[in-house]
Amino acid sequence: MIITIDPTTLSSHFESKDAEESWGQRWREWGTHRFDEGGRGPTYVIDTPPPTVSGSLHVGHVFSYTQTDVLARYQRMRGKNVFYPMGWDDNGLPTERRVQNYYHVRCEAHAPYEPGLEVAMADDAGRKRPPRRVSRANFIELCLALTAEDEKAFKTLWQRLGLSVDWALEYSTISEASRRAAQWSFLDLHRKGQVYQVEAPTLWDVDFRTAVAQAEVEDRPQKGAFHHVRFGVEGGGSFVIATTRPELLPACVGVAAHPEDERYRALFGKRAVTPLFRAPVPIFASELVDREKGTGILMVCTFGDATDVQWWRERGLALRQVVGRDGHLVHVEFGGTSFPSLDPTRAKAAYAHLAGKTVREAQKAVVDLLRDPSGCPTGEGLAPLVAEPQPIEHPVKFFEKGDRPLEFVTTRQWFVKVLEHKQALVEAGDRVAWHPDFMRLRFRNWTENLNLDWCISRQRYFGVPFPVWYRVGADGATDFSSPILADEASLPVDPMTAVPPGYAEAQRAHPGGFTGEADIFDTWFTSSLTPQIATGWTRSPERHRRLFPMDVRPQSHEIIRTWAFYTIAKAWLHEGQIPWRNVAISGWVLDPDRKKMSKSKGNVVTPMHLLDQYGADAVRYWSLAARLGTDTAFDEKVFAVGRRLVMKVWNAAKYALSQEAADGPVSHPLDLSFLTRLRETVEKATAAFEDLDYAGALDSVERFFWSGYTDNYLEMVKARARSEEDPAGRSSAVAAVQQGLSVILRLLAPYIPYVTEEVWSWGFARTTGAPSIHRAPWPSAADFAGAPGGAEAGSAFDAACAFLEAVRKAKSASGATVGRQLAKLRVATSPPTHARLTPCMADLVSAARADGEVLEPREGMEDGAFEVMEIVLAEKPPRTAGA
RNA sequence: AGGCGCGUGGCUCAGUGGUAGAGCGCUUCCUUGACACGGAAGAGGUCGGUGGUUCAAUUCCACCCGCGCCUACCA
C-alpha cells in the first residue's frame, strides 16, 4: 500500500527534544515496553545492572546502559516478551559516605531513635561543627531519603535516553523484597552448610572499621623502607632481619628462613630474642621464604601480611594483636603470658612509646627507639637498627574505597564457602557465553586464584542485617556458637529491633537473654541476587522458574571478580544453576587522554547537555557504534555523526513517503535487485544481533542505508517514481522505496528509537497495524516475499551503483556537478553487465542526467567495471532569479 | 612476573589467506525538486618488527617491541 503524507511535513524539521518528550509519554501510555506477566510466548530476560545511585551520573552510564537497551529493543521486535527491569543499588558504603557528607552526620549504633528527626543539608558553617550523632534507624531514614532523590535523577536520564525499561519492574537493593531475598539466601546457605562464622585474622579497613572481602582489595604502589634490625639468639649470637613494618616488632611471634639457607641453618629450633621487647620467639624453616629478599631471614608478626597469617595458622604461633580496629596500637601489657618478655621493664617502657599511636606514628617512634643502643638484644651496646632505612616502593593492599592500607585484625566474621567450590564455579562460568569470549578468562583466572572464602559481614549501618541473634549466657557473655536464626516467614527482620522466637524485648542484652547480630551483609551479598530479586524468587517460585536462568547479564569488566563471580556462586550454591546464559561485557569510556572516566579523577563528562545539544538518538548512536568489551575514547564528533544519521533518516523518509503512485507490486528488475541486497543486509544484521554484536549490525545497516539507499537507489528511481508514461514502473519504484524505508526504519529502530518512531507514525503505523515501530516485527523473509534470493539477483543493483559512481567521477573530473545535464554520454562495460543493466537503462539514463542509450558492451572488460568513453556537458541553463 | 587484549591513512576504529575499508579531519567543487543539521569528487596507508607455513600473509604460527587491562607480588 502506497503511503502519501501531508505535504506540510515536507517543510518540517526534526526537533529531538519534542520527540523525546512526546514519544516517551506515548510509550508509557501504550505500555510499549511492558513485560507481559501472563504472556505465553518466549521471554527474553535481562539482569540489568543496578547503578550505584550515590555515584555521579556521567557518560559512562549512558554508554553501557544504551548497549543493553538496544538488545532489549531488538528482542522485543523479534516478538519476545522482554523482561527488562531497573534496579537501584542504594545500600552500602557509597550511600553512607554521601549521607555523612550531605547532612554532616555520623551514625551512632547505640544512640536512641528520634522519631520525626529532620536534618537539613549541611552548609559550610555547619560542616565546621562536629557532626551530629544519629541513631542507626535515623541514619537509615536519611539514607533512604537521599537515595530516593538520586534515583529520580537517574530515572529522568534513563527515560530521556529512551531506555525501554519496564518501570513496573523497578526495584532497589535496600527494598523490603531485596532484604528478604538476601536474608532468605543467608538462611538457605546456612541450611546447606555453606556459611560459617569464625574468629580469625581478617582483612580490615581501619577507617571504615569494617572487614572487607578479597574481591574488594586492590594493590597500590606505596613508598616504604626496608629496616635492617638486629635480633638476638637465646644462648648467644645474633642476626639481622629486614622489615618494612618495624612498628609490628611488638607483635613478632616468630622468625623464619629458608630451610636450605646455610647462613641460618644453625638457628632453626632455637629461640630468637626481639630487640626492645626482648620477647623470645621460635626460629623455624619455611619454603615460603625468599632467600634473595632482604637478608633472607624475616620476622613473623600477627599480622603483617597474608603469609604471616598462614604461618600463624600452620605453626600454631602465638597471637599478639597490637593494631586495633581503629588503626591505632592498642594498650598491651608486656611481661605476662600474652606478651612475654625476658626484660618486662624495658619492654613496657618501649611499648609506652607506641601505645595509642597510629601505625604510621608508631613506625617513626619505633625506629627512634631502635637507633638507641640500649635497645640492643645482645647487650653489646650496638643500636638494633644496623643501617639507615632503605627506601623502596612496594605494592600494598588497600580496600578499593579506602585511603589507608588494610590490616589483618582478628575479629569474628561470617563467610560463605567458595574455596572448596572453585572447580565447580570455574565450570559454571564456562557454561556461560561471554561476549566477547576472552572475558571468560578473567573470570576463570580470578576464580582459580581465590585464596580466601567470601567474607560477607560488614561492621556498617546502611545495609541488610543478618537475620541472626545470639544467646547471652548467665555470665553475660555472648554465645556465638549456636546462633538463633530468624524464621523464613518473618523476613525481612532487623535483629536489633526484632526479638527472636521465645524471647521478650526486655531480655535484650541481659544475662540469660539474647543479643542481635549488629553486622550487615556485604552489599555484594545482596547484589549477587539481582536475578533472584527481579524474578521474585522468594514470593513466586513459579515466576522465578519461568524467568531463571536469565538470558543476559550486561556489566563492565572490572566487576567480573565481584558481581559476576558472586552471582554465579549464588546461583550455583542455591540451585546448582548458572544465573544467565550470556554475559555482555561493556567497555569503558575513556577521556581523550585515554584515562578511564571516574569521579575521583575529576574527568567525568555529564550527559545532559549532550542530550540537549545532539538529541538522545545521536547520543545513543555514539554508544552503539562501540563494540562490546571495547573501551571508547570520548569524542564529541561521533555525536555529530549520529545527528547526521538521524537527519538523513528524517529527510529520506520525507522523500519516500511523499511519492504518489497507484498501488502495485514491486516488479521492476532494478527494484527487485535492490530488495535482494536489502534482504542480505537484514540477514547480516540479524545474525550479528543474535551474537549480541549490535555494533556490527549497525555497521551493516548504516552502510546500506547511506550508500545503497540514499546515495544510489533513491537517485536511480527518482524519475521513474514520478513518471507519467510508465505507471507500472512508477508503482514498482514507489512501493520499493517505501518498502525499503519500512525495513531500514525497523533495522534502525533499536538504535535511534525516537526519529524512527516519528517517521513510522507518518504512515506505517496505520498500514501495518503496529502503532509503535518498537512493537513492529523485526524485518525477516516475510518482508521480501516478492524479491528473488541468491547472489546473482542483487548484481544488477550493484552494477547500477557502480555505473552511477563512474558517471559521477567523470562529471566531477569535467568540472561539473552531479545534477548537470549531459549532452552526450557513452560508457563501456562487459557484455554480461550490459545485459544485466539493459532493463534498467531508463533509470540509469535519468540518474546520469543524460539522453538515449548510454551503455555499450565491450569484450574483455571485467564484469561490473565501467569506463566512461565520452562525456559532453550540456550548456548551463541560464540562472533564474529568486525562488 | 604470569594471563588477556590491542598495535591498520593526521585522528577514531572496522575488516580479510588472493587489488586495503569507513567516519572525522584535509583539498577542490556544488544551494540540484528529501536533505547546507546537506551533497559530489579527490589526496592520504610497505596493515608495529623479524622469522616461518603457503603458489599467495595485513590476515595463520613463533619470537620480539610498544601500549592497555586483569591477576600475583607488604618479609
Side-chain angles (χ1 to χ4, degrees), chain A residues 93 211-218 398-401 406 446 454-455 458 522-524 561-562 566:
Chain A
L93 276 175
V212 302
Q214 189 184 353
E216 295 161 292
V217 175
E218 64 184 26
F398 279 74
F399 176 37
E400 59 189 358
K401 297 185 172 73
L406 288 168
W446 171 257
W454 177 13
C455 177
R458 296 290 182 277
D522 174 12
T523 58
W524 293 115
R561 68 177 186 171
T562 49
Y566 290 142

Side-chain angles (χ1 to χ4, degrees), chain A residues 113-124:
Chain A
Y113 176 64
E114 299 172 63
L117 176 75
E118 284 193 26
V119 185
M121 181 183 167
D123 55 16
D124 286 342

